[in-house]
Amino acid sequence: MRQQQLLLPHLLCLLLLCVTLSRGHNITSILAQHPEFSTFNHYLTATHLAGEINRRLTITVLAVDNPAMAALLTAHPGLSLYSLKHLLSLHVLVDYFGAKKLHQLTGGSALTSTLFQASGAAPDTAGFVNISDQRAGHVLFSASSLPASAFVKSVEEIPYNLSVIQISSALSSPAAEAPVTAPAQVNLTALMARKGCATFAGLLAATADAEQTFASNIDGGLTAFCPLDEAMKPFLPKFKNLTADGKLSLLLYHAIPVYYTVEMLKTGNGVVNTLATDGTSRNYNLTVQNDGNQVTLRTRVTVATIMGTLIDEDPLAVYTIDKVLEPMELFKPAEPPAPAPAPETDKRAAEAPKAGTSTSAKASPPAPAGPEGQPGDQKVADESAAIRSGVYWSMAAAAAAAIVVVA
């Protein structure tokens, strides 16, 4: 009985872990349910902090409402987006602080690191936030000698993973407000040409609107895939036979309008839009899948593998691939080879009725066809998602069954 009592809490933790893993968190979606934080939510996306928050397993977001954000922006009218990113980074703690934990701080206070500190941009310890539990249940947050901000309420909690709490005013510090030099603009075609993708880079530069479309999407987040020269050169005859619109679509098909690290691509398997997608109906999409430690990009025509990284600096990532991505909108899938005809003697033997078998027996009906109208790439993505979800819930079911047995 004693062993059973000791085992029960561990099984409950396993069950909770399985449920948590199956859902994850998305700060943009969470804050979208609370219109009073719309300005804060907008700037988390604009500064690319939202993606960093979603990638971390343990995080606390100190959200401020629209009037508090308006006061911050009014107090700093010339603040660049890069300096604003530093300020908002002070509002993201790299530890979990739910409402209950805030009122149970050891010694009544805690000094915790933020994304501003973790990024390496903060001088010395300027990226730390002090939390203090005051009398009468008041909790204060301060990042410098400036006035502290008070805890207002808990907005969302996923225990030990994500906590979103509202504070009364925006945090600030002289270090976070300091002017930030904008990073130098990356010359995509020059970068690709230097790193083994000269042929693809040349086509980007020579095709009307292609290079400009890539460049204009960088600030909002861009992941590009450039085929290596040994893959591009044999493909050139096919490329030359395309119309002007077809050439542009094929080049734009090699980029996703979202910033993805390799790790994000490994865990975010599924169908994705590309720069060529015009929003009509699932056109010019591709499927991202991981095969062990490798990431593959699948179309209905080709399967390419990511071979290396040219750059991975938010908001831009460029990866080399071993094949040209051929969309089914421009190319037909290769027909499977026809089976070789059976030898005449084998055919006669197959047609002869076997002893004891009735020649009037009917053949079994064919197996019913699968659902129609769903693209093959989407089927692959759905099956992959179903497998991952099944693993988590199978673990949860096993844990629950074990709890029943112990009880």
Side-chain angles (χ1 to χ4, degrees), residues 16 20 23 96 157-162:
L16 177 63
T20 301
R23 60 179 178 172
Y96 177 81
E157 291 187 20
I158 301 175
Y160 312 111
N161 287 96
L162 172 72

Side-chain angles (χ1 to χ4, degrees), residues 257-281:
V258 180
Y259 166 71
Y260 285 109
T261 65
V262 170
E263 289 304 316
M264 292 168 68
L265 290 172
K266 286 181 179 179
T267 57
N269 289 189
V271 178
V272 295
N273 292 338
T274 66
L275 289 183
T277 303
D278 62 12
T280 53
S281 58

